[in-house]
Amino acid sequence: MRIRKNVHFHIYISYFFTGLILIFAIAMGTVQFSRMSQIILAQANSSYALIGNEVASNVKDIYEPVKNQTEILAQSHPITGKDLNERLTHVNYLAKAIISVKSATSAYVGFASGEFFLLRQYAKSNGGQDVFKAPTKTTWIVQSTSTDAGKMVEHQVYLDERLNEISRQQIPLRNYDPRQRGWYETAMKNASQANVSEPYYFFTTGQIGVTYAQKIVDADAVVGIDIEMPTIHETIRNSNVTPSTRIALIDSKGQLLAWQNGKQPAYKPQIVTKLDGTQGMPTLAEQNAPVLNKIRELDSSAGNGSQTLDAIDKTWATYQGKIQIPGGHDLRILIASPHEELLADVIRMREQTSLLFLVMLIIGIAVTIYFSRLASKPLKQLNDEASKIARFDFKSPINIQSRIKEIADLSNSMRGMKATIRSFLDIASSLASETNYDKLLARVLKEMSEITEAKSGILYLYQPQDKAMQVVQAYADHQVLETNAHSISMADETHPVILACKSRSSICQLQAADLTRYFSALPATDHTTTLIAIPLKDRSGTLVGAIALVIDDANIDPGRQAMAEAVSGAAAVAIENQRLIQEQKSLLEAFIQLIASAIDAKSPYTGGHCQRVPVLTKLLAQAACKETEGPFAGFQLTETEWEELHIAAWLHDCGKVTTPEYIVDKATKLETLYDRIHEIRMRFEVLKRDAQIDYWQAVAKDDTGNDAAELKKKLDDTITQLDSDFAFIAECNEGGEFMAPDKIARIQDIAGRHWLRTLSDRIGISHEEKERKNRTTEPNLPVQEQLLSDKPEHIFARSPRETIPPDNSWGFKVKVPEHLYNRGEVYNLSVARGTLSEEERYKINEHMIQTIMMLEKLPFPRHLAKVPEIAGGHHEKLDGTGYPKRLNAEEMSIPARMMAIADIFEALTAADRPYKKGKTLSEAIKIMSFMKRDQHIDGELFALFLKSGAYLEYGKKFMNPEQIDEFDIHAYV
């Protein structure tokens, strides 16, 4: 088969890529893009001066022709004649002047006699349509004031476009005297040139404008031409550079002659009366024109010019210039346009150029792609494979062929890389997913052996306390073996594993004798082998253990060795993590059992309760998990749920650490830290001594001896009664199932007896007891006291900290007694059942409240989050009458119900309680059947408890043989 020679990749695509991309990049990018920005910036500053000059020129073009035409008329004597008719023959001179000057609206002559002749172009006059009621076809209007028969008369003559008279009418004299007008007076004073007036209201039309006027040569008359301000403003408005351009024409006083404020409505010129009484045009400073006012405030002495400034959050190109008005004062033109509008065309051109470059670049790339497609296809496939690797997709191997040598080599490298990564991740995932410590050790050794193709190997774990490497697993013939091989001391520097632990992984040759000497746990061989010793170190570099791998082949693949070293890091971390978890679990387990044992050891009355309840709970849970039919057919516990149940069972009574021992151990009604029956006995002894003293005193007083027998009988009766009363009190003190009302009445009757106390009971006592006694005033001694009493100092007040409000966050629903303790003697002796008072009974039950509060404060991990609920529910009842939350059946989990049954059964059958005898199986089951009937425990779990034999298995382990009797479980199932 012919072997095709691979061609280098760069030969395929270098011409197209280099030629096309570089040509476009250098030609278009360098020439266009680098220069375009400079052009735009230069255009913004330089071209705007031309725009400003153009606008100024347009304004000047309004004034200059009017001035020139005024001077021409002044030299040519345009209107001659003594009356209206003669003057109408010369009207064509004025008409030609108005037509030749676009900005002129009317031309006129004022005579020294007060006569006046004016020709107005009807179409140009802004106010003419409203003032004149001109007939149709009117083009020109003549306004004349002349002398007729020695009187001044005023006419209006309407002419057509050829200056032919259409109609004429005489109008009332309006007393218009041109000699009193400013333009006339200025012209007569300065007769050598045409003069322009200040803006003023035109007499006839009411429009604001200016007048150019000059004295007619060799005549006592003045010729004038009017320019209306709207004409000037129209010129300004037509000079708008952009839609938002601001333009203002102001005079030397800052008066606003024309103003275009962007897109806002046109400015209407008007004359206003100022504060000083003078009249004039409004000033620019008085207008809302921040940009133009900012230009106005700049120094204008340098003459015309443009510059850039920032105002109202925009960058503006501005221009200010002086306009020399012939025959008048200079005007200032102010222009401002936003850059974004002024340079819109240039920016658009740049965008079009950029688009053109982009199109050309795309075409070039498309051509390159077209010619390099065959060459780049394998690269695309390799890229897809790289993406799969990035997504951890290792389902299919890489099989890409290419004639390009570099691509072919890359394909082979990626194929090996993918296989290596997949193998590494599989191993790392396998190690990380293993939660059983022993299985993890076996898997580490097996995976490492298979990676290096070793025929055998040994896994060591470092024991810091012994400073030695302990053999934990051995591998041979594809199987992990248990071994009892000796550990290796870290001081043995001849051992190859110890040498590797003190450096990095090592490879050495092992003779047959060396294999037997150093690795006795491995099968012997008769030939030389290769040893790879790899230390296992965690993230911090701490030594965890080591692996010794024995390989038959003398040549070891470096890739497999590197793979083994990489996996060793993951293996070390996995081992260390599991070891830490195992040690933490062991510590937690020991701590839990320590607490439970301490509770059990605290009082003989609880015995081994905390240790036995977990056993019975697990027996019942195991029975439920084995069920394949019935209500528990689907019940199963995961490994973490078993752990949760285990911890909850061991800590179910942890709140008892807060319960005083004397309450837990209280065997009699008067017992506290000691049994107070001894105090009462002593009082009876005192009464007996008092009776004897009274007897002997009476005998001593009986001189005759006649009453001796009666006194003796009275003494004997008193002693007998006292003995009987004390015996009754002592019997009541022992407690019982029920305290009848007549017994309570007798206790109260006995309490009515008195004895004499001669010593203070407020000395030699604790501060707390003294505080309680000081609630009442100390009586004077000696004092008669009741034989049995309920004194104020017997009451122990409950602090706010020990109360539980109804809206508590734990959901407790308990009745909290008013007092913390009541040690009243009559009160305690009158307890109806047992030996505990209401306060002490609550204190006993409070251990469940404390259990829940303590457990909920512990930061249990998520998989143990239900520990407080399971541990805190074993005193709840299905009918909602339990404590401390009064949960009903739906609110109790199955593990909590199981623990309730276990807690009750253990308490009934416990044989190590000093205050009672343990119940037999039949007795305990009968009592619990009543509890099932009353909905105190789960009936289905109770049936499972009996059918599975869990009760019997527990009984054989923890109950006395005499307690295990036979009974018919079918009577209770």
Side-chain angles (χ1 to χ4, degrees), residues 677-730:
I677 191 66
H678 304 300
E679 290 186 18
I680 294 174
R681 180 190 298 110
M682 186 56 63
R683 295 174 198 164
F684 274 95
E685 293 287 358
V686 170
L687 289 179
K688 289 174 70 174
R689 298 299 179 275
D690 288 346
Q692 290 176 349
I693 292 172
D694 290 342
Y695 167 72
W696 287 112
Q697 287 178 344
V699 170
K701 292 178 181 180
D702 185 13
D703 297 332
T704 62
N706 296 329
D707 298 329
E710 183 179 351
L711 291 174
K712 178 62 174 169
K713 182 178 184 304
K714 182 180 178 181
L715 172 63
D716 293 340
D717 290 344
T718 300
I719 296 299
T720 301
Q721 185 61 45
L722 287 174
D723 289 343
S724 174
D725 288 346
F726 177 75
F728 171 73
I729 294 299

Side-chain angles (χ1 to χ4, degrees), residues 375-632:
S376 62
K377 185 177 180 180
L379 285 177
K380 176 65 170 59
Q381 293 173 332
L382 287 173
N383 181 65
D384 293 341
E385 292 296 335
S387 299
K388 290 181 180 179
I389 294 174
R391 297 192 304 269
F392 294 89
D393 181 3
F394 301 100
K395 296 179 181 178
S396 58
I398 298 176
N399 187 21
I400 299 174
Q401 304 296 327
S402 176
R403 295 180 59 191
I404 301 174
K405 184 178 185 302
E406 287 82 354
I407 297 179
D409 293 342
L410 178 60
S411 177
N412 293 332
S413 298
M414 286 188 65
R415 185 183 302 113
M417 179 185 69
K418 186 173 184 178
T420 301
I421 294 176
R422 177 177 182 177
S423 176
F424 178 81
L425 291 178
D426 288 344
I427 294 172
S429 176
S430 175
L431 296 178
S433 62
E434 183 59 68
T435 58
N436 185 284
Y437 187 61
D438 293 331
K439 291 181 179 179
L440 174 64
L441 298 177
R443 178 167 288 185
V444 168
L445 181 55
K446 182 178 180 182
E447 295 290 355
M448 296 286 283
S449 299
E450 291 179 353
I451 289 173
T452 57
E453 296 182 346
K455 72 168 187 177
S456 59
I458 293 180
L459 174 63
Y460 300 88
L461 288 183
Y462 178 60
Q463 304 297 331
Q465 63 276 15
D466 300 327
K467 294 185 179 181
M469 284 289 188
Q470 178 65 47
V471 179
V472 292
Q473 300 280 359
Y475 175 83
D477 296 330
H478 305 287
Q479 291 183 349
V480 177
L481 310 174
E482 296 294 336
T483 178
N484 295 321
H486 298 294
S487 59
I488 310 170
S489 173
M490 293 298 293
D492 186 1
E493 297 186 357
T494 62
H495 200 288
V497 172
I498 303 301
L499 293 175
C501 290
K502 294 185 178 180
S503 58
R504 297 183 59 188
S505 61
S506 62
I507 301 176
C508 62
Q509 300 296 316
L510 280 182
Q511 303 298 326
D514 294 333
L515 179 63
T516 304
R517 173 187 173 190
Y518 293 124
F519 307 103
S520 58
L522 298 180
T525 183
D526 56 358
H527 58 276
T528 301
T529 56
T530 301
L531 172 70
I532 300 179
I534 303 175
L536 301 178
K537 296 183 179 181
D538 62 13
R539 299 180 186 89
S540 61
T542 304
L543 185 64
V544 176
I547 291 181
L549 302 170
V550 178
I551 304 172
D552 277 340
D553 194 349
N555 297 320
I556 300 175
D557 183 2
R560 289 187 174 276
Q561 180 187 354
M563 178 72 169
E565 292 177 356
V567 172
S568 68
V573 171
I575 291 173
E576 185 63 15
N577 287 344
Q578 286 301 316
R579 176 188 277 182
L580 289 174
I581 292 173
Q582 198 72 20
E583 290 173 350
Q584 289 174 355
K585 285 185 177 181
S586 298
L587 177 62
L588 176 62
E589 177 70 15
F591 186 70
I592 290 171
Q593 294 189 16
L594 175 67
I595 294 175
S597 298
I599 293 171
D600 286 344
K602 180 180 178 183
S603 170
Y605 283 71
T606 58
H609 175 77
C610 292
Q611 301 177 44
R612 290 193 289 265
V613 168
V615 176
L616 187 52
T617 302
K618 290 180 183 179
L619 287 175
L620 186 52
Q622 290 168 355
C625 291
K626 292 177 182 177
E627 287 292 287
T628 57
E629 57 184 21
F632 302 102

